């Protein structure tokens, strides 16, 4: 069938849970998935678990246990779909909201909690998991990803089904940043094997998409000389299919591609934001009807792939995972202030040693104060 026209994006699973075998996008590519029943159920379990862990993050911040939390609520399909589309050799560069992709890369979900609790600056090894550290500076990770992808080309790690591809995640707000546009320029000119994955969740903090661009974001790719496509970001199947095709396009040496995952941020931009000040409740409710988890559950039910016992077990397992996460977060040791100096340079620095000593002496001076 033709591309889903009403929404202007590639869609395999609609909000009612109705599924089509394939769609042909405006790029002439036919998108489809070929999952087993177990794989369909696995996607559902991924999304439910990720949502529950994310909710625990919000709760912990509200209780004063985290300094900040950036929720992914509503964006589970875009993240899990694209995350599961990555091959083991592919490298991902996240923002600070890609908890679902992190989960799909096999990283312990507690890792970003150390960052937002102030215990560490991100505790996973990017080379081991092929997933870079979270990036707080808006859009800068696209430059890192572009440079990495250019290196993949220079080392000859593209040109086959076993080639390496890179994916860079960013939001609609970041698309207005100079770093992102510079990344597009360099990736296009140097034919870098990179997929730019924009989660258009409709708001750059409080600025709506209409205040950021006059054309759909995916159409910007044409100006830089590479393809762009929009996918229903609340459809985990389409998110997977489009991302896998784009990654294969890159790994075969065919250059970059831009995916605009059209989704919605159901919660606040971060825990320091109040979305009720810039959007109305009816808008949120309209998007709630397109919930990514509800539509996959409807599909599983209609196709008799899963029943009530499965759904109940998934909820119970997710609850246990969240409780375990909470206990481990609360048990994190408070770091000593002097540890700020420990990982600035891999082999140390004489100048840093001087700064460490001065800082230690300054703190020790308070010990001599009378009670």
């Amino acid at each position: 069938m033709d591309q889903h026209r009403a929404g202007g994006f590639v869609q395999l699973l609609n909000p009612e849970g109705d599924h089509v075998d394939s769609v042909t996008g405006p790029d002439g590519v036919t998108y489809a998935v070929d999952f087993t029943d177990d794989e369909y159920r696995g996607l559902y379990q991924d999304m439910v678990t990720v949502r529950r862990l994310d909710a625990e993050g919000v709760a912990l911040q509200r209780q004063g246990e985290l300094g900040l939390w950036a929720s992914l609520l509503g964006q589970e399909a875009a993240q899990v779909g694209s995350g599961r589309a990555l091959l083991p050799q592919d490298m991902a560069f996240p923002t600070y909201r890609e908890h679902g992709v992190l989960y799909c890369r096999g990283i312990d979900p507690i890792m970003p909690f150390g960052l937002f609790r102030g215990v560490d600056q991100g505790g996973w090894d990017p080379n081991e998991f092929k997933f870079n550290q979270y990036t707080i500076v808006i859009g800068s990770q696209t430059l890192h990803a572009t440079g990495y992808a250019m290196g993949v080309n220079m080392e000859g790690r593209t040109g086959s089904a076993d080639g390496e591809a890179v994916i860079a995640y960013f939001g609609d707000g970041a698309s207005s940043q100079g770093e992102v546009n510079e990344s597009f320029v360099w990736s296009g000119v140097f034919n870098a094997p990179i997929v730019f994955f924009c989660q258009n969740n409709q708001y750059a903090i409080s600025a709506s998409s209409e205040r950021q661009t006059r054309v759909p974001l995916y159409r910007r790719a044409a100006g830089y000389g590479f393809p762009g496509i929009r996918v229903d970001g609340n459809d985990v199947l389409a998110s997977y299919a489009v991302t896998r095709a784009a990654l294969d396009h890159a790994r075969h040496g065919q250059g970059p591609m831009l995916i605009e995952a059209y989704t919605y941020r159901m919660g606040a931009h971060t825990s320091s934001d109040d979305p009720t000040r810039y959007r109305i409740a009816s808008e949120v409710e309209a998007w709630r009807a397109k919930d990514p988890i509800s539509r996959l559950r409807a599909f599983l039910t209609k196709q008799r792939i899963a029943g009530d016992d499965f759904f109940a077990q998934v909820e119970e397992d997710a609850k246990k995972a969240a409780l375990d996460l909470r206990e481990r977060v609360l048990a994190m040791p408070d770091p000593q202030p002097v540890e700020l100096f420990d990982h600035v340079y891999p082999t140390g620095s004489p100048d840093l040693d001087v700064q460490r000593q001065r800082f230690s002496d300054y703190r020790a001076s308070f010990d001599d104060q009378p009670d």
Side-chain angles (χ1 to χ4, degrees), residues 4 22 116 139 238 284 358:
H4 178 76
S22 65
F116 291 115
V284 179
R358 287 177 177 172

Side-chain angles (χ1 to χ4, degrees), residues 303-331:
Q303 299 297 318
R304 298 184 178 179
I305 296 174
D308 291 341
D309 289 345
F310 168 77
F311 297 129
Q313 187 61 54
V314 168
E315 293 290 345
E316 182 62 25
D317 290 344
K319 180 180 178 180
K320 290 180 180 178
L323 290 174
D324 174 70
L325 178 68
R326 165 176 284 272
E327 291 175 358
R328 291 195 292 149
V329 168
L330 296 180

Side-chain angles (χ1 to χ4, degrees), residues 46-60 66 69 72 99 102-103 107-110 113 317-326 328:
D46 284 345
M47 289 199 292
V48 170
T49 302
V50 165
R51 177 173 288 188
R52 186 64 183 81
L53 295 175
D54 177 69
E56 201 63 40
V58 175
L60 284 164
L66 303 178
W69 186 252
L72 59 69
H99 320 311
L102 177 144
Y103 181 84
I107 299 173
D108 188 335
I110 199 173
F113 286 82
D317 290 344
K319 180 180 178 180
K320 290 180 180 178
L323 290 174
D324 174 70
L325 178 68
R326 165 176 284 272
R328 291 195 292 149

Side-chain angles (χ1 to χ4, degrees), residues 117-147:
R117 190 172 169 84
V119 172
D120 56 50
Q121 297 184 47
W124 62 89
D125 181 352
N127 292 317
E128 177 185 356
F129 295 101
K130 306 294 285 187
F131 185 84
N132 202 46
Q133 296 289 332
Y134 275 12
T135 306
I136 304 298
V137 179
I138 304 299
S140 65
Q141 74 279 0
T142 60
L143 289 175
H144 308 154
T146 297

Side-chain angles (χ1 to χ4, degrees), residues 19 52-53 213 271 287 319:
H19 175 251
R52 186 64 183 81
L53 295 175
T213 179
S271 52
W287 276 94
K319 180 180 178 180

Side-chain angles (χ1 to χ4, degrees), residues 142-295:
T142 60
L143 289 175
H144 308 154
T146 297
Y148 186 95
M150 290 169 63
V152 170
N153 256 354
M154 293 174 184
E155 295 182 355
R157 303 203 304 270
T158 59
S160 71
D162 296 326
E164 182 177 349
V166 178
I167 188 167
Y169 290 91
F170 60 99
D172 49 295
S175 70
S176 299
Q177 291 289 104
E179 290 97 326
V180 174
N181 291 273
E182 290 161 5
S183 300
F184 288 175
V185 171
W186 281 75
S187 294
V189 170
F190 287 93
N191 203 48
I194 184 171
V195 175
F196 293 103
F197 194 91
C198 175
Q199 292 174 82
N200 181 358
N201 63 19
Q202 310 304 312
Y203 287 93
I205 308 183
S206 59
S208 66
S209 294
E210 289 75 15
R211 296 180 62 187
Q212 301 176 65
T213 179
R214 296 185 64 179
V215 299
L217 293 174
Y218 75 94
R219 289 175 53 187
R220 290 185 176 180
Y224 298 92
F226 54 87
I229 191 164
R230 176 183 277 183
V231 63
D232 181 352
N234 283 15
D235 174 0
V236 67
L237 306 185
S239 294
Y240 176 95
V242 170
T243 306
R244 173 54 65 87
L247 289 167
D248 286 342
H249 178 273
R251 80 176 75 258
H252 280 88
Q254 296 175 304
M257 189 167 176
L258 170 63
I259 298 172
E260 178 191 356
Y262 200 74
T263 182
Y264 192 78
R265 166 169 56 79
M266 296 298 296
H269 173 70
T270 68
S271 52
S272 61
D273 170 46
D274 179 8
T276 63
R277 299 186 65 180
Y278 54 82
R279 66 186 190 188
I280 58 177
S282 59
E283 177 185 294
V284 179
E285 288 305 311
W287 276 94
R288 198 180 303 279
K290 305 171 186 177
D291 182 87
I293 295 179
S294 297
R295 76 170 68 182

